[in-house]
Amino acid sequence: MSSVRHRTATVDGHEIYYREAGPADAPVIVLLHGYPTSSFMFRELIPLLADNYHVIAPDHLGFGHSDAPPATEFDYTFDALAELTSGLLDQLGLDRYALYVQDYGAPIGWRLALKNPERISAIVTQNGNGYEDGFVDSFWAGLWAYGANPGPDTEPAVRAAMSLEAIRWQYVHGVPDPSVVSPDTWEHDVALVSREGNDEIQLALFRDYQNNRPLYPLLHEYLRTSEVPVLAVWGRNDEIFGPAGARAFACDAKNAEVHLINGGHFLLESHLDVVAGYLRGFLGRVLG
């Protein structure tokens, strides 16, 4: 089994942490995590890919082991996080790679693809939205209200998303047997989100999330014209990004593979082997 290396790189003056494994000359896959976690979410997937692929999994700024400058010193937007990710990949000399995106990783990945479409060999989206389809109203209504009108009337609803109860819900909701999900997952995330000043970082990204939606028509055009291979592997019981978000990729991506699995938002915690099987099969077909 290939060893996982734990590294950092300085990008635009910020230390970005990343996990790396696999042969340096193998096809590259970049794993982009969601909220509220980090590359920790890929800790068990990476070894299952590293025999055949060069795997890179960074922590976004403000998450995991990467730097987390205060929101008063860094403008936390998805544009900014994508630029840092792009800078990291440039430093590592990666000019061709597949993307695996989940949750926040999706809008970051879409920006990478739109900026340098020639670099993207394939896209895997695991509960990572790219369409208006899939937004579950009961979850998103408060965030849209906060983004449109930040203030004391709308902030409490989104602050609640940083609580232990809410983060645990993200992990276990929709999982047929919640006992298979380790408490280490949400305890790890809560500890990092609870660091002094991290709440303001998360609030800034909550406010900015609405700015991802205007990118969707550009993404759809890219999917149609590039014919980039797409795999959507999705927890069908996710009440953040519902299964309609997975099916929507088939509207624009040629021969998109869509698999709905009886799980929730963090599918790797309950269905690791199933996801890895679909992923290895897909990458083997499209990357050779």
Side-chain angles (χ1 to χ4, degrees):
M1 181 178 293
S2 176
S3 297
V4 178
R5 307 296 182 183
H6 304 267
R7 308 187 189 277
T8 61
T10 302
V11 183
D12 292 339
H14 303 290
E15 288 295 302
I16 302 297
Y17 166 90
Y18 62 99
R19 302 171 195 248
E20 182 174 22
D25 59 350
V28 179
I29 180 167
V30 176
L31 311 178
L32 299 179
H33 70 82
Y35 170 85
T37 187
S38 62
S39 62
F40 181 76
M41 72 170 281
F42 299 118
R43 67 199 179 281
E44 295 181 351
L45 179 64
I46 292 171
L48 300 181
L49 299 175
D51 55 346
N52 291 327
Y53 302 100
H54 182 187
V55 187
I56 300 291
D59 289 353
H60 309 314
L61 195 75
F63 293 81
H65 296 295
S66 287
D67 279 353
T72 54
E73 298 177 10
F74 184 86
D75 185 16
Y76 283 89
T77 65
F78 287 90
D79 281 344
L81 297 186
E83 283 301 312
L84 289 171
T85 306
S86 178
L88 172 67
L89 300 180
D90 285 346
Q91 273 199 37
L92 298 178
L94 304 180
D95 57 9
R96 184 74 171 165
Y97 47 85
L99 285 172
Y100 180 119
V101 301
Q102 193 264 353
D103 193 88
Y104 274 12
I108 294 170
W110 308 151
R111 285 168 169 81
L112 297 179
L114 292 172
K115 179 182 179 181
N116 296 115
E118 73 286 353
R119 296 186 178 184
I120 309 303
S121 58
I123 289 174
V124 178
T125 175
Q126 184 254 296
N127 298 76
N129 232 42
Y131 290 80
E132 293 293 333
D133 308 67
F135 287 117
V136 179
D137 289 342
S138 59
F139 181 89
W140 287 94
L143 190 139
W144 300 141
Y146 178 62
N149 186 28
D153 293 333
T154 56
E155 185 176 303
V158 294
R159 272 194 177 274
M162 292 181 266
S163 69
L164 170 60
E165 179 182 3
I167 291 174
R168 180 183 180 277
W169 176 88
Q170 288 198 38
Y171 278 97
V172 301
H173 185 79
V175 179
D177 179 5
S179 70
V180 304
V181 182
S182 170
D184 296 342
T185 55
W186 60 81
E187 295 287 355
H188 176 272
D189 291 354
V190 169
L192 293 172
V193 169
S194 299
R195 290 175 293 177
E196 183 177 359
N198 199 267
D199 58 339
E200 296 299 330
I201 292 172
Q202 304 307 330
L203 289 172
L205 290 171
F206 291 161
R207 290 192 296 271
D208 190 56
Y209 197 92
Q210 62 186 338
N211 295 320
N212 296 323
R213 299 166 82 181
L215 290 179
Y216 290 169
L218 300 177
L219 170 66
H220 306 160
E221 178 66 15
Y222 159 71
L223 295 176
R224 288 192 297 271
T225 58
S226 70
E227 298 188 359
V228 62
V230 173
L231 167 67
V233 57
W234 214 271
R236 68 172 183 241
N237 306 323
D238 186 359
E239 292 193 25
I240 300 172
F241 298 118
R247 297 187 187 101
F249 283 92
C251 297
D252 295 298
K254 184 178 180 180
N255 299 322
E257 295 185 34
V258 178
H259 301 283
L260 301 178
I261 298 168
N262 188 24
H265 188 65
F266 284 109
L267 199 54
L268 294 177
E269 302 301 332
S270 61
H271 292 77
L272 172 68
D273 290 343
V274 176
V275 175
Y278 282 127
L279 180 55
R280 288 175 63 91
F282 170 75
L283 293 177
R285 288 190 296 276
V286 303
L287 300 185

